[in-house]
Amino acid sequence: MPRRPAGHTRGHAAVLASLTVTALVATGHPATAAPAPASDPMNQAFERAAGKYDVPRDLLAAVGYGETHLNGHAGRPSQDNGFGVMHLVSNPSNHSLEKAAALTGKSTADLRKDTGTNILGGAAVLRSHADALGLDKTERADIDAWYPAVARYSGAEGAVAALYADTVYTFLAQGLRATVAGGERVTVTSRPVSPEKGPLAKADVLAPSPDYPSALWVAANSANFATGRTATVDKVVVHVTQGSYAGTISWFQNATSKVSSHYVVRSSDGQITQMVRDKDTAYHAKSANASSLGIEHEGFVDDPSWFTDTMYRSSAALTKHLCDRYGIPKDRAHVIGHSEAPGNDHTDPGVNWNWTYYMQLVGGSDSGADGLSFGSYTTQKKGSTGPQVKAVQTLLNQQGYEAGAADGIFGSTTESAVRTFQTARGLDADGMVGPKTWTALLSAGTTPALATGSSGEAVKRLQRALTAALGRTVTADGAFGANTDKAVRDYQSTRNLSVDGGVGPDTWGALQSGR
């Protein structure tokens, strides 16, 4: 990461683009978790803060996870001077730290370093945004009504604020399961969501990148880069943001930051935003600026949980593209870390970055099966063993349903998690993973509009779910081609849906309810 210098309107739910999540089932959504035991201080802190400020507990946890993966980093600041689990910020354009102090009566020192106080401050700030938007008590009980308040919490505006809120609602849709300091487990179970975006509904569609078709385009502030180049591009520099994806994009738009990079990559799904044209000089690596292309990766150097397989693959595909386009050798002399750029004093991407794996991907080498894709999905129940049981456990754990260790052994803990998932999805809670439960489990998560020509992890998730639902193999390659189109039409026809080959809210809704 480059060094940082010394009236509420209720909108109608709409079909959202790949950044957003869409309504699946018109039911109430759980906003709170079971009471935390005394040995779980962070869970207790979320419950206390949620209760005091009438903020949905799971929303509060999802905001914190999106900001920091619930890691307060011992009070050390992020790249844009944000602190603690809830990333309370103090910089020229965002004063949420000071706002939290005024609202709670707590000192800024405690808000920076004490986790419970920091979470309380985050809840207070979120509630103040809800009050400013006019949310009444009934609306505050609806997790979907908080979308504009979450967007304001970001400190950004327009498309970047929507990008931030979209990420939080993605975590609510997908569920999350984080292990924090002391081994405590913080979970948010997956659920259908339909955020009420109001005026931001028109702000969430970003322009495509002018240099890399798979990326979005958000321009950095003109004070943070130089037009043109004074040297030939001969290297790619890998960075870690020391902050969140949307926060980094917002910071690069801030004229006071004096830093930028060409691309920013999101941890959860590998989404990429370009901020400086390849032909221009981003301020990211001091003496190497003029001769390099910079790629920022969402996360913190000391926390390997940010470096997901999806991020590695997405970033490596970008690096491969840049190397091919500009004739850069695909080796470690030309694909370097920020710490390796001459004249730099940074440590990113740090010891947790897997250079061996990354360079294998840049060179075109793939690590193999993902552990979730199979040619067919067979019924799994208590006593079952093998890779499909491990897939069930992995999916349940990822979505916040405690299935125990992903060891491929279907025991009582896994059975209990399956029943809980089935109940939440309105399925027969028999504890067995048959076609309906497989379909709901494999399709759970965000619901972007998909059609022929779409690609990525959402398409792969669709293909797995169709394999389970139809009882025939739909190759999970992440590319929506003719075979996937036919499978979608067959599924729509047999479920009495509109047969158009497109995957919108009705088709996603049917899949996620196990039809």
Side-chain angles (χ1 to χ4, degrees):
M1 172 67 210
R3 181 174 297 280
R4 176 179 46 78
H8 176 52
T9 300
R10 299 293 295 269
H12 296 292
V15 178
L16 307 177
S18 61
L19 295 177
T20 62
V21 285
T22 308
L24 303 176
V25 182
T27 60
H29 310 315
T32 58
S39 58
D40 287 354
M42 188 175 292
N43 280 296
Q44 286 188 319
F46 277 122
E47 289 167 13
R48 284 195 300 266
K52 181 175 180 62
Y53 289 103
D54 197 19
V55 178
R57 179 268 182 196
D58 282 3
L59 181 75
L60 194 61
V63 169
Y65 186 81
E67 290 280 15
T68 65
H69 279 199
L70 307 182
N71 185 335
H73 301 282
R76 297 186 299 275
S78 69
Q79 43 89 6
D80 54 348
N81 215 42
F83 297 88
V85 165
M86 298 304 294
H87 196 245
L88 297 172
V89 179
S90 178
N91 68 40
S93 63
N94 187 347
H95 300 282
S96 60
L97 176 65
E98 291 80 5
K99 186 171 187 174
L103 291 167
T104 63
K106 306 294 185 182
S107 70
T108 55
D110 284 345
L111 285 162
R112 286 195 301 266
K113 293 185 178 180
D114 181 76
T115 295
T117 304
N118 184 268
I119 292 171
L120 193 73
V125 172
L126 265 174
R127 172 61 187 273
S128 72
H129 291 315
D131 289 345
L133 288 160
L135 269 67
D136 60 25
K137 186 173 182 61
T138 300
E139 291 167 328
R140 291 197 303 273
D142 178 4
I143 206 166
D144 290 328
W146 283 82
Y147 183 96
V150 172
R152 289 192 178 189
Y153 190 92
S154 71
E157 297 179 352
V160 178
L163 187 69
Y164 177 94
D166 290 339
T167 300
V168 171
Y169 278 80
T170 293
F171 290 132
L172 291 170
Q174 293 178 333
L176 61 87
R177 179 173 179 260
T179 301
V180 300
E184 181 182 358
R185 183 72 48 75
V186 178
T187 61
V188 171
T189 56
S190 64
R191 77 215 52 213
V193 295
S194 177
E196 297 181 12
K197 307 185 77 169
L200 286 169
K202 297 180 180 179
D204 62 12
V205 180
L206 298 176
S209 159
D211 292 318
Y212 187 57
S214 298
L216 304 173
W217 169 253
V218 176
N221 189 283
S222 60
N224 298 336
F225 67 93
T227 302
R229 296 274 187 177
T230 60
T232 300
V233 174
D234 64 3
K235 63 182 70 68
V236 174
V237 180
V238 172
H239 300 266
V240 174
T241 61
Q242 295 298 101
S244 71
Y245 178 68
T248 298
I249 293 169
S250 180
W251 188 235
F252 290 169
Q253 290 185 304
N254 189 323
T256 65
S257 74
K258 306 303 180 191
V259 291
S260 64
S261 70
H262 294 89
Y263 298 91
V264 186
V265 186
R266 188 159 63 188
S267 168
S268 60
D269 60 0
Q271 183 184 85
I272 300 172
T273 293
Q274 182 179 16
M275 300 198 69
V276 177
R277 291 293 305 273
D278 292 355
K279 66 181 179 59
D280 294 329
T281 303
Y283 298 159
H284 65 106
K286 292 186 177 179
S287 63
N289 285 341
S291 61
S292 66
L293 293 152
I295 305 176
E296 287 280 0
H297 297 82
E298 181 185 29
F300 291 80
V301 168
D302 62 354
D303 186 352
S305 71
W306 293 90
F307 303 147
T308 63
D309 187 68
T310 302
M311 171 184 272
Y312 277 124
R313 290 174 181 276
S314 177
S315 174
L318 170 60
T319 294
K320 183 178 187 299
H321 165 83
L322 295 173
C323 288
D324 289 341
R325 183 174 185 181
Y326 298 104
I328 302 170
K330 298 184 186 77
D331 58 39
R332 286 285 284 112
H334 297 86
V335 180
I336 64 173
H338 190 179
S339 60
E340 299 168 304
N344 282 275
D345 57 358
H346 290 253
T347 62
D348 58 314
V351 297
N352 292 310
W353 183 260
N354 190 335
W355 276 113
T356 300
Y357 180 51
Y358 187 68
M359 294 308 297
Q360 286 175 346
L361 294 173
V362 170
S365 175
D366 197 308
S367 64
D370 56 25
L372 301 176
S373 301
F374 298 91
S376 63
Y377 292 89
T378 58
T379 297
Q380 306 297 315
K381 58 185 178 180
K382 191 171 183 179
S384 298
T385 60
Q388 292 203 8
V389 173
K390 186 173 182 179
V392 168
Q393 294 166 326
T394 298
L395 289 164
L396 287 167
N397 286 332
Q398 286 174 347
Q399 296 173 42
Y401 298 90
E402 298 290 345
D407 56 6
I409 302 172
F410 200 126
S412 297
T413 302
T414 300
E415 182 184 44
S416 176
V418 169
R419 291 182 189 275
T420 303
F421 174 83
Q422 289 170 326
T423 300
R425 287 299 193 271
L427 297 166
D428 182 17
D430 59 7
M432 297 191 297
V433 184
K436 291 184 177 182
T437 301
W438 267 122
T439 300
L441 194 58
L442 290 161
S443 62
T446 56
T447 58
L450 302 175
T452 299
S454 298
S455 62
E457 288 300 311
V459 175
K460 188 178 287 188
R461 184 157 45 92
L462 168 70
Q463 291 165 329
R464 295 187 194 115
L466 288 170
T467 295
L470 296 172
R472 71 170 193 258
T473 303
V474 181
T475 302
D477 58 5
F480 198 128
N483 289 335
T484 302
D485 177 83
K486 184 179 187 309
V488 169
R489 292 176 187 274
D490 289 347
Y491 177 79
Q492 291 170 330
S493 176
T494 55
R495 269 66 177 181
N496 295 318
L497 301 169
S498 177
V499 182
D500 58 8
V503 183
D506 289 344
T507 301
W508 276 120
L511 288 165
Q512 295 193 335
S513 62
R515 284 175 58 189

